[in-house]
Amino acid sequence: MSLVIRAYEPADRAAVVDLVHQLNLFEDGISADRARDVKAAATCLDADLARVARDGGAVVVAADGDEVIAMMCFVLEQPQPYLKAEIARVAWVSELVVDERHRGQGIGTALLEEAERLARAHGVSRLMIGAIVGNHVARKAYERFGFRPAVVELAKDLE
């Protein structure tokens, strides 16, 4: 495999929408609350691109030759006034998905390394990522990479 990590290009759209769709289906199998249609995946990508354009960051793909096999959305947040000044501006990996045929080959780690590089290049000293409850594989992979629990979010569905 000749893995290349690069910025998203409009020609990558169909492949990236497919990846986001895979992520939504996978997460829905755990949480039963994700939209399962391809249109929702396209809307997610559009939201990622809009957020990056507004706040800064990048949508990044991993490609093997001409085939896009993974994607990541890296976004910057405005400084958070409740955090110490040296960590007040954080970056988020808001999406990360590797095509199911290519998982377990270090591609996700390569994308996390790129997120770390981007964060440092933007002068950010805290990188955040989330995993839905029940996605133990992702959580363990993120913890092996050096992430640690920082915030627990709780949800209550209202009728």
Side-chain angles (χ1 to χ4, degrees):
M1 177 183 305
S2 58
L3 190 69
V4 174
I5 307 291
R6 62 170 173 78
Y8 167 88
E9 299 170 357
D12 301 326
R13 183 174 178 80
V16 172
V17 167
D18 180 63
L19 288 164
V20 175
H21 186 231
Q22 283 185 41
L23 178 63
N24 288 350
L25 292 175
F26 178 79
E27 289 184 339
D28 187 61
I30 297 170
S31 67
D33 67 357
R34 299 299 193 253
R36 299 181 55 87
D37 58 300
V38 174
K39 184 178 180 186
T43 302
C44 287
L45 173 59
D46 292 339
D48 287 342
L49 292 168
R51 186 172 177 197
V52 164
R54 183 189 69 227
D55 299 334
V59 175
V60 176
V61 299
D64 181 14
D66 292 335
E67 182 185 12
V68 172
I69 58 175
M71 70 81 65
M72 172 187 70
C73 181
F74 168 88
V75 292
L76 298 167
E77 281 194 353
Q78 294 300 314
Q80 301 299 316
Y82 58 87
L83 293 173
K84 293 179 179 178
E86 62 271 15
I87 58 169
R89 188 162 186 229
V90 300
W92 276 89
V93 174
S94 64
E95 308 269 3
L96 191 149
V97 59
V98 176
D99 183 277
E100 60 193 354
R101 298 169 295 147
H102 298 279
R103 293 182 185 148
Q105 300 176 33
I107 299 165
T109 299
L111 286 169
L112 289 174
E113 288 169 349
E114 177 64 5
E116 208 170 81
R117 187 194 69 74
L118 289 167
R120 292 179 198 282
H122 285 92
V124 174
S125 60
R126 179 169 280 182
L127 183 60
M128 304 286 291
I129 195 167
I132 64 170
V133 172
N135 191 347
H136 305 294
V137 172
R139 181 169 175 180
K140 291 207 178 299
Y142 300 155
E143 288 175 349
R144 277 193 308 272
F145 191 78
F147 287 97
R148 60 179 169 65
V151 175
V152 174
E153 292 184 292
L154 306 172
K156 179 180 180 180
D157 293 330
L158 306 176
E159 295 183 56

